[in-house]
């Protein structure tokens, strides 16, 4: 379940990548929607890791949480579309309480997942300012068409232990991240925080978290 948190944090989910086995091709224009539902250790220190200024955010501030009451059944939707949404589609999406803008949103119309998400979020908020909008990031799988991918380094991908020239790949297509690398961690967190700087993004939906 996605949880909307303060801007100083990242929205987390304990679910596996539920759509990963059926949705591994993101270059089409078809709309996708589903309702609520070993190597490469970094030699660098944490000097590049994101830091948080004490007191910058009030941990008791609930303004970024969805308003909750039992007057009606609250709805959540996860949706994506490579082309731009029509105004009718935006108005339909805006009726939900929480909207998670999935990977590949607006990539054919705006060139990247980040810009497609920002554009869709602004249009949705214009219809319903109270809706909470989440930006999608996967914690394990390196999906394409993100602007941040331009600075991704292959050393941050997980190699096979017995054949270090080969990489583990999800669906034999997408690299798996190596979380032991400190530079990778800083890169991943920063891309999430950069999206949270946008006034229309209320949280980050983190997919692919493995149970331990």
């Amino acid at each position: 379940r996605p949880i909307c948190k303060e801007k100083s944090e990242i929205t987390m989910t304990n679910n596996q990548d539920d759509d990963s086995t059926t949705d591994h091709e993101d270059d089409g224009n078809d709309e996708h929607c589903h309702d609520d539902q070993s190597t490469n250790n970094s030699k660098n220190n944490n000097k590049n890791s994101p830091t948080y200024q004490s007191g910058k955010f009030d941990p008791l501030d609930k303004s970024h949480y969805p308003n909750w009451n039992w007057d009606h059944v609250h709805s959540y939707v996860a949706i994506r579309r490579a082309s731009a949404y029509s105004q009718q589609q935006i108005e339909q999406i805006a009726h939900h309480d929480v909207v998670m803008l999935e990977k590949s949103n607006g990539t054919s119309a705006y060139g990247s997942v980040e810009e497609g998400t920002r554009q869709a979020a602004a249009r949705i908020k214009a219809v319903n300012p109270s809706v909470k909008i989440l930006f999608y990031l996967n914690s394990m799988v390196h999906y394409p068409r993100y602007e941040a991918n331009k600075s991704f380094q292959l050393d941050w991908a997980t190699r096979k232990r017995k054949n270090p020239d080969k990489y583990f790949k999800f669906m034999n297509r997408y690299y798996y991240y190596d979380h032991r690398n400190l530079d990778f961690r800083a890169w991943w967190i920063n891309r999430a925080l950069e999206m949270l700087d946008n006034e229309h993004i209320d949280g980050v939906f983190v997919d692919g978290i493995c149970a331990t």
Side-chain angles (χ1 to χ4, degrees):
R1 298 184 300 276
I3 314 167
C4 199
K5 293 198 172 184
E6 288 85 359
K7 293 283 186 175
S8 60
E9 302 180 43
I10 296 174
T11 299
M12 307 293 283
T13 175
N14 289 325
N15 293 340
Q16 295 283 355
D17 190 357
D18 293 334
D19 67 343
S20 62
T21 57
T22 58
D23 173 41
H24 52 273
E25 181 60 55
D26 296 328
D27 54 359
N29 288 326
D30 292 337
E31 182 177 338
H32 175 87
C33 170
H34 54 275
D35 285 332
D36 195 1
Q37 48 150 312
S38 328
T39 53
N40 303 331
N41 288 325
S42 175
K43 296 181 180 179
N44 296 331
N45 55 30
N46 279 318
K47 64 181 180 179
N48 294 324
S49 297
T51 59
Y52 305 91
Q53 296 178 3
S54 177
K56 184 176 181 180
F57 299 100
D58 181 0
L60 299 180
D61 179 12
K62 305 297 183 182
S63 63
H64 296 292
Y65 280 72
N67 293 325
W68 180 264
N69 58 55
W70 290 104
D71 293 342
H72 70 279
V73 176
H74 293 261
S75 61
Y76 153 82
V77 66
I79 191 167
R80 71 169 177 271
R81 184 178 181 84
S83 58
Y85 293 103
S86 68
Q87 186 57 32
Q88 181 181 14
Q89 290 169 334
I90 289 292
E91 292 173 0
Q92 291 174 337
I93 296 169
H95 284 302
H96 291 277
D97 296 281
V98 179
V99 175
M100 189 266 279
L101 293 173
E102 258 265 24
K103 53 188 175 291
S104 88
N105 262 297
T107 52
S108 65
Y110 304 106
S112 71
V113 177
E114 291 93 334
E115 186 59 24
T117 298
R118 287 189 288 261
Q119 292 289 335
R123 294 177 64 196
I124 294 168
K125 290 275 192 174
V127 175
N128 179 10
S130 66
V131 65
K132 299 303 179 182
I133 296 180
L134 309 180
F135 171 62
Y136 178 96
L137 281 179
N138 197 289
S139 65
M140 289 301 300
V141 180
H142 184 62
Y143 282 116
R145 302 178 186 87
Y146 284 87
E147 178 70 20
N149 288 356
K150 292 180 179 180
S151 58
F152 178 78
Q153 299 181 27
L154 197 54
D155 283 344
W156 300 343
T158 302
R159 297 176 185 266
K160 295 184 178 181
R161 180 177 300 176
K162 294 184 178 180
N163 191 353
D165 292 333
K166 302 292 184 180
Y167 296 89
F168 285 105
K169 291 185 178 181
F170 174 64
M171 302 296 292
N172 204 33
R173 299 177 61 191
Y174 307 125
Y175 293 113
Y176 280 109
Y177 294 132
D178 185 350
H179 285 264
R180 296 169 299 177
N181 191 300
L182 299 181
D183 290 336
F184 159 75
R185 296 182 198 176
W187 172 82
W188 194 99
I189 293 171
N190 275 319
R191 66 196 292 224
L193 294 177
E194 286 174 3
M195 284 300 290
L196 287 177
D197 282 339
N198 185 278
E199 61 179 325
H200 304 301
I201 306 297
D202 299 290
V204 177
F205 184 100
V206 183
D207 206 355
I209 297 177
C210 300
T212 57

